[in-house]
Amino acid sequence: VHARWAYFFGPGCEPGLAELDRVTRHGGAIFIIDIDATRSTYGRWFLRGLPSYDPSEVERFWTRRGFGREPMTIRWSFENRADLESVLRIEFPAEVAEAALRETAGCEVDYAVNLWWRYA
């Protein structure tokens, strides 16, 4: 089972995790990709837009449930600046999006994620 950005708030997603456990066969694996807000440009913007988000609590949440963690760095790469602007304005509150655009030259943004995984 693979969940991408479905559970990145950790606490509160227990019903979804129960469903993953239900549908994953014994010996199967669960993979969850979420935001690593402790590193990367995107992570910094994410924390600005959601200051109540606690990355340490999210890590404790997954660890307590037996998930291993593989940190990865990806990037967003847009063909043009207008596309980058549109996406940032969807992703973030207006003031965070505008600050992010002022900080970003070009059309690429580094983006850190965690791959959380566990065998069923």
Side-chain angles (χ1 to χ4, degrees):
V1 175
H2 168 242
R4 179 180 175 262
W5 285 279
Y7 301 116
F8 59 80
F9 290 103
C13 72
E14 292 86 354
L17 294 179
E19 182 65 5
L20 289 178
D21 286 336
R22 187 187 73 75
V23 301
T24 305
R25 290 182 183 173
H26 180 72
I30 297 170
F31 297 96
I32 296 171
I33 297 173
D34 79 347
I35 296 164
D36 182 345
T38 66
R39 29 184 214 106
S40 82
T41 302
Y42 185 92
R44 189 174 67 248
W45 297 338
F46 183 83
L47 288 175
R48 276 190 216 158
L50 192 62
S52 63
Y53 183 83
D54 182 353
S56 297
E57 177 56 30
V58 172
E59 184 169 350
R60 285 189 298 275
F61 175 87
W62 293 114
T63 302
R64 282 191 306 263
R65 283 157 181 78
F67 282 84
R69 175 179 168 260
E70 181 68 32
M72 298 187 283
T73 302
I74 61 175
R75 68 184 168 101
W76 273 356
S77 182
F78 297 89
E79 289 187 24
N80 57 65
R81 183 72 179 189
D83 289 347
L84 170 66
E85 291 174 6
S86 294
V87 169
L88 289 180
R89 289 184 176 123
I90 292 169
E91 291 281 313
F92 299 110
E95 65 278 0
V96 175
E98 296 310 314
L101 289 167
R102 286 191 301 273
E103 296 171 11
T104 306
C107 298
E108 292 190 357
V109 177
D110 61 302
Y111 195 136
V113 298
N114 290 314
L115 171 63
W116 296 101
W117 58 273
R118 180 183 77 193
Y119 293 110

